Amino acid sequence: MRRVLVLGGGFAGVEASIYLRKQEIEVTLVSDRDYFYIYPTSIWIPTGEVTKEDVSVPLDQLAMKHGFQLIVDPVAKLEASEKKVTLLSGRVLDDFEYIVVALGQDKMQHKGLEHTLSICSKPEEATALYEKLDKLILKDNGKIAMGFGGNPKDTSAVRGGPAFEVLFNVHNFLKKKGIRDNFELTFFAPMEKPGQKMGDKALVMMDKMFGMTNIKKKVGSKITTFVEDGIEFEDGTKIESDLTMFISAGTGHSILMESGLPLSEAGFVVTNEYNEIENFEGVYAIGDSASLMGPEWRAKQGHVAEVMARNVAYNINSKIENIDSKYSYKEHLNILCVMDTGDGAAFVYRDNKGGKMIPLPIIGHWMKKGWGWYCRNSKLGKIPRIPGM
Ligand SMILES: Cc1cc2nc3c(=O)[nH]c(=O)nc-3n(C[C@H](O)[C@H](O)[C@H](O)COP(=O)(O)OP(=O)(O)OC[C@H]3O[C@@H](n4cnc5c(N)ncnc54)[C@H](O)[C@@H]3O)c2cc1C
């Protein structure tokens, strides 16, 4: 019997594999792509500041460094009660004592979504955003709209920060080129107060930033459909757009629908605070795949995915060694983000006491760049890990 099978090579799956290996536990990681993608720094791909390769870390290098086995072959089926995984190639993996589900999430579908691109979807879409923006710049004018949607079944799966980041980066990019006045930039979202999770002060600050950057805002009306030249809303209005970026809210991963695992209304795996699943001994779900417990403002984030991953590595080791100790992710729940604007950033923090948004002109941009460098090199074992990061 082999030990741990980790499904998914994102923040959660990679961190779980690294920390399981630190406990000298045998690990096999299965991924549909051969690289770990650092989503938070992919926000600079549309403006050409970085490429997809710059924000990708080859999984074989991580596997070699930390000593885990790697299979690059998409998971096609998970039969959780039998701990049986079938890969797209037809290969069956059914001799593992433990399975860690870290497959991330799927995106909610909307009418006309094919007319949009997202920074939070497949990495190729970030490159497509770069190409489309480049074409508009060659034309020397255009209308650009960027926004995000909600999931009424699970507010933790709404991802708005990257929409603000890409929009402000595009603004500053066009400004540096001296062509900002030729472009109309609009932010849109169906909810009344998009970004509410960050707290009321942050909302006031976002409005100030939209004003200062001459970015239009359209909120509070449902999106009816995306069309080739824009977005149509339930209130009968339309935003004209040559380039629409839309971040659809998350929903449960399609592979999990038939897995037999208990799912929330939004399709995420229901776990306890130790990421264990009731009646599925030895199966764990972490990161975006798991249904996040906690307060209304909670959000699926990379650092929470990594906390869950390190906890599960510890909890599996405790089980193997018959130690009566487990780690919970509950006390680590917060929103933590350096929201980049291209010429600086804002430090965003939210916990039960409330929200903070602290402007970090210039230095914030370089702090986020530094974090990207740290993320890559510390995972590759080239520099030491800072505890908790
Ligand atoms: C643009 C952007 C910016 C962000 N910024 C921040 C930030 O500043 N701070 C922060 O904390 N969080 C941020 N996040 C959120 C963070 O990136 C996610 O919470 C995190 O990636 C979740 O990790 P995960 O491993 O659960 O999921 P993912 O990172 O999505 O990983 C899932 C993995 O599973 C693989 N997979 C999927 N299907 C299959 C299959 N069938 N078979 C095999 N493998 C499969 C995928 O290839 C992927 O590698 C950001 C997200 C985006 C998109």
Side-chain angles (χ1 to χ4, degrees):
M1 199 73 169
R2 289 186 286 170
R3 282 268 144 118
V4 186
L5 179 64
V6 176
L7 307 179
F11 274 96
V14 164
E15 188 80 342
S17 302
I18 292 174
Y19 274 76
L20 283 159
R21 288 301 302 139
K22 281 187 198 286
Q23 320 255 23
E24 297 186 1
I25 297 169
E26 198 189 321
V27 179
T28 299
L29 184 148
V30 179
S31 173
D32 60 344
R33 47 192 187 222
D34 62 2
Y35 57 91
F36 160 60
Y37 189 65
I38 309 175
Y39 274 109
T41 53
S42 70
I43 50 141
W44 295 307
I45 294 178
T47 48
E49 210 175 320
V50 298
T51 63
K52 178 172 162 260
E53 286 63 41
D54 295 329
V55 297
S56 302
V57 185
L59 280 174
D60 59 355
Q61 287 183 21
L62 290 166
M64 192 118 66
K65 175 68 201 168
H66 299 282
F68 57 83
Q69 304 294 309
L70 171 68
I71 302 172
V72 179
D73 191 348
V75 173
K77 192 171 182 189
L78 166 64
E79 289 157 271
S81 56
E82 295 162 55
K83 296 204 188 86
K84 182 176 166 190
V85 173
T86 308
L87 305 181
L88 196 65
S89 63
R91 186 175 171 184
V92 172
L93 305 169
D94 58 0
D95 55 348
F96 286 84
E97 272 173 273
Y98 298 92
I99 293 186
V100 178
V101 177
L103 291 167
Q105 55 178 326
D106 282 351
K107 295 286 161 201
M108 283 182 72
Q109 291 306 304
H110 293 266
K111 206 171 155 207
L113 208 58
E114 66 277 14
H115 300 296
T116 72
L117 290 167
S118 172
I119 193 70
C120 295
S121 202
K122 296 228 174 320
E124 293 71 23
E125 288 195 33
T127 308
L129 274 167
Y130 166 74
E131 288 162 357
K132 208 158 177 187
L133 181 62
D134 199 44
K135 271 194 193 145
L136 282 184
I137 289 170
L138 284 176
K139 215 178 84 179
D140 211 33
N141 66 71
K143 292 180 178 171
I144 298 170
M146 298 194 179
F148 62 88
N151 181 344
K153 292 181 181 163
D154 191 338
T155 52
S156 76
V158 176
R159 192 155 280 157
F164 298 125
E165 290 188 291
V166 178
L167 194 52
F168 289 126
N169 267 272
V170 167
H171 160 82
N172 277 307
F173 180 62
L174 296 173
K175 202 171 132 189
K176 267 186 222 152
K177 286 189 170 298
I179 52 173
R180 172 64 180 91
D181 290 345
N182 304 352
F183 287 82
E184 188 179 285
L185 261 56
T186 308
F187 166 75
F188 67 94
M191 52 292 256
E192 287 290 342
K193 291 183 174 180
Q196 172 87 67
K197 277 182 196 178
M198 298 186 289
D200 288 337
K201 281 186 203 147
L203 285 187
V204 174
M205 199 152 142
M206 293 304 296
D207 275 345
K208 262 194 202 155
M209 281 167 77
F210 285 142
M212 273 157 33
T213 49
N214 192 24
I215 293 175
K216 293 184 177 171
K217 183 176 142 185
K218 161 81 189 166
V219 299
S221 179
K222 257 182 148 177
I223 298 161
T224 324
T225 180
F226 295 97
V227 287
E228 205 184 338
D229 62 346
I231 309 125
E232 291 175 6
F233 294 89
E234 207 172 57
D235 63 8
T237 59
K238 178 179 177 183
I239 298 176
E240 305 274 343
S241 171
D242 305 307
L243 191 179
T244 305
M245 190 197 78
F246 178 67
I247 303 176
S248 215
T251 182
H253 195 292
S254 55
I255 294 292
L256 302 176
M257 300 299 153
E258 308 296 324
S259 66
L261 291 171
L263 302 179
S264 68
E265 218 193 329
F268 299 109
V269 183
V270 176
T271 73
N272 62 14
E273 63 192 282
Y274 310 107
N275 295 96
E276 298 164 328
I277 304 163
E278 200 179 2
N279 299 326
F280 288 85
E281 174 95 25
V283 185
Y284 298 77
I286 58 174
D288 286 1
S289 289
S291 176
L292 194 60
M293 293 184 288
E296 188 55 25
W297 53 259
R298 77 209 186 285
K300 290 183 184 290
Q301 280 209 294
H303 71 276
V304 177
E306 289 194 333
V307 166
M308 290 176 171
R310 292 192 288 268
N311 287 356
V312 157
Y314 178 87
N315 296 346
I316 290 178
N317 187 58
S318 291
K319 214 171 169 96
I320 292 170
E321 300 288 336
N322 276 321
I323 302 168
D324 186 17
S325 167
K326 284 192 264 193
Y327 285 165
S328 151
Y329 71 81
K330 260 183 154 172
E331 59 267 33
H332 299 276
L333 269 188
N334 55 43
I335 297 177
L336 183 64
C337 162
V338 173
M339 200 179 79
D340 188 79
T341 52
D343 61 348
F347 174 74
V348 178
Y349 184 80
R350 172 81 207 244
D351 63 13
N352 271 331
K353 291 185 202 120
K356 277 192 200 91
M357 193 179 200
I358 304 166
L360 299 170
I362 305 166
I363 190 164
H365 179 68
W366 295 105
M367 274 170 64
K368 187 144 183 156
K369 284 261 153 117
W371 175 83
W373 181 88
Y374 165 80
C375 179
R376 163 187 292 275
N377 287 297
S378 62
K379 291 231 187 299
L380 283 169
K382 293 183 180 169
I383 53 166
R385 288 289 289 263
I386 301 168
M389 250 183 100

